[in-house]
């Protein structure tokens, strides 16, 4: 009390960017196409939690290569906390910047790992390599079909294991065409670059189709067609036939045929 008057002093607290914190999975990891969330807890210069809203927080998400960015939504809960969320579509490393009045808050920027979504049949691709060029393969040689698995956003995904129960499975099967009788065993492995490789070795000539499915849905680049042609002549599989092998008269012509076969017994091409 001074000069008969009472003076009231109001202590006003302000939010400090250096003391404000962020929690929640969205500040660490995200999945392409799914909403990632995090929380901002406003604090004053003493580190005490603010109990009212009204602050202007801004947030941006940038990829490490700077190729894409998006604005992040920040909602004021009016109690000193703020809810942030975003939906990333590009997988890879990203940086989440959270600022208060253009000043980064404590820990900002936050390194976020954006993981690809589940593998998609619409975005995945299949390609093949045959021994005798495009669409032609020699019997007995190994043919390869590669599948680049991608999510719906075009991000490369890890190849799921084939033949196992799970969210998504990738498979390849061989179907004969035009009455051909082709039965082959298809095996698979994961390449170092993440592609899934199917390989098979047909031992019967004919036309075939390689059908590749992801989660039971055939890829847009499937089926892949090929013609299996005979291999090199194998003398041990060749034989001769005809009347000339049974006998002949002096002065008369005698004839017989030599039937050429490859090592699998398929009729071989003429040499």
């Amino acid at each position: 009390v001074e000069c008969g008057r009472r003076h009231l002093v109001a202590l006003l607290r302000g939010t400090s960017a250096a003391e404000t914190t962020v929690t929640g999975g969205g500040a660490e990891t995200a999945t392409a196409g799914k909403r990632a969330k995090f929380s901002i807890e406003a604090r004053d210069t003493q580190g005490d939690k603010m109990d009212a809203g009204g602050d202007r927080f801004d947030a941006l998400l940038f990829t490490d290569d700077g190729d894409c960015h998006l604005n992040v939504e920040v909602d004021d809960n009016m109690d000193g906390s703020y809810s942030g969320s975003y939906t990333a579509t590009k997988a890879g490393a990203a940086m989440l910047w959270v600022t208060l009045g253009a000043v980064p808050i404590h820990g900002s920027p936050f390194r976020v790992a954006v993981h690809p979504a589940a593998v998609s049949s619409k975005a995945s691709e299949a390609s093949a390599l045959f021994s005798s060029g495009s669409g032609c393969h020699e019997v007995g040689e190994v043919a390869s079909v590669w599948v680049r698995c991608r999510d719906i956003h075009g991000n490369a995904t890890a190849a799921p294991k084939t033949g196992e129960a799970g969210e998504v499975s990738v498979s390849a099967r061989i179907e004969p065409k035009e009455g051909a009788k082709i039965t082959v065993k298809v095996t698979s492995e994961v390449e170092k670059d993440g592609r899934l490789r199917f390989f098979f070795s047909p031992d019967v000539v004919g036309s075939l189709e390689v059908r590749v499915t992801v989660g039971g849905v055939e890829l847009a680049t499937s089926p892949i067609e090929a013609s299996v042609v005979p291999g090199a002549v194998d003398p041990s599989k060749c034989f001769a036939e005809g009347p000339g092998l049974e006998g002949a008269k002096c002065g008369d012509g005698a004839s017989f045929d030599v039937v050429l076969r490859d090592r699998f017994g398929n009729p071989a091409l003429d040499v």
Side-chain angles (χ1 to χ4, degrees):
V1 179
E2 182 178 348
C3 299
R5 295 183 180 181
R6 179 175 295 177
H7 296 269
L8 300 178
V9 178
L11 299 177
L12 300 178
R13 294 192 302 158
T15 301
S16 168
E19 297 295 334
T20 296
T21 58
V22 164
T23 59
E28 299 178 352
T29 62
T31 299
K34 291 186 178 181
R35 201 72 177 166
K37 299 178 180 180
F38 61 92
S39 297
I40 302 172
E41 192 170 83
R43 295 181 179 273
D44 63 17
T45 56
Q46 303 300 314
D48 296 325
K49 185 180 181 305
M50 301 294 290
D51 54 10
D55 290 312
R56 173 66 183 273
F57 288 98
D58 294 306
L60 289 171
L61 184 74
F62 292 89
T63 59
D64 266 5
D65 56 11
D67 187 42
C68 73
H69 66 276
L70 55 88
N71 290 315
V72 181
E73 294 182 7
V74 178
D75 296 322
D76 190 344
N77 298 322
M78 305 306 293
D79 60 358
S81 68
Y82 300 77
S83 298
S85 62
Y86 60 90
T87 303
T89 57
K90 184 174 182 179
M95 304 295 284
L96 175 64
W97 287 83
V98 181
T99 59
L100 174 63
V103 179
I105 69 170
H106 178 73
S108 180
F110 303 92
R111 181 168 290 275
V112 178
V114 182
H115 302 290
V119 60
S120 166
S121 61
K122 294 182 179 180
S124 298
E125 303 167 331
S127 60
L129 178 64
F130 299 111
S131 63
S132 301
S134 177
C136 192
H137 187 72
E138 183 176 315
V139 67
E141 298 297 319
V142 176
S144 297
V145 176
W146 285 276
V147 179
R148 168 60 75 186
C149 296
R150 298 185 184 278
D151 67 14
I152 194 64
H153 306 287
N155 299 302
T157 69
K161 294 181 179 180
T162 59
E164 293 188 2
E167 262 186 39
V168 179
S169 62
V170 180
S171 64
R173 69 180 187 274
I174 310 299
E175 293 185 354
K177 292 182 62 181
E178 301 172 358
K181 295 181 179 179
I182 298 178
T183 303
V184 294
K185 180 181 180 181
V186 180
T187 54
S188 64
E189 65 181 13
V190 179
E191 302 279 88
K192 291 182 179 180
D193 62 1
R195 292 182 301 171
L196 184 62
R197 178 194 176 203
F198 295 95
F199 50 97
F200 58 95
S201 182
D203 57 9
V204 179
V205 299
S207 298
L208 58 81
E209 291 180 336
V210 183
R211 294 188 175 273
V212 183
T213 59
V214 172
V217 180
E218 190 167 358
L219 303 189
T221 51
S222 175
I224 300 172
E225 299 183 355
S227 295
V228 181
V229 298
V233 174
D234 184 344
S236 68
K237 299 292 184 179
C238 300
F239 60 90
E241 60 183 10
L245 298 176
E246 299 175 359
K249 293 181 180 181
C250 292
D252 291 341
S255 64
F256 62 91
D257 297 320
V258 177
V259 180
L260 304 178
R261 303 284 188 183
D262 64 18
R263 62 191 174 104
F264 298 101
N266 299 298
L269 300 176
D270 292 339
V271 294

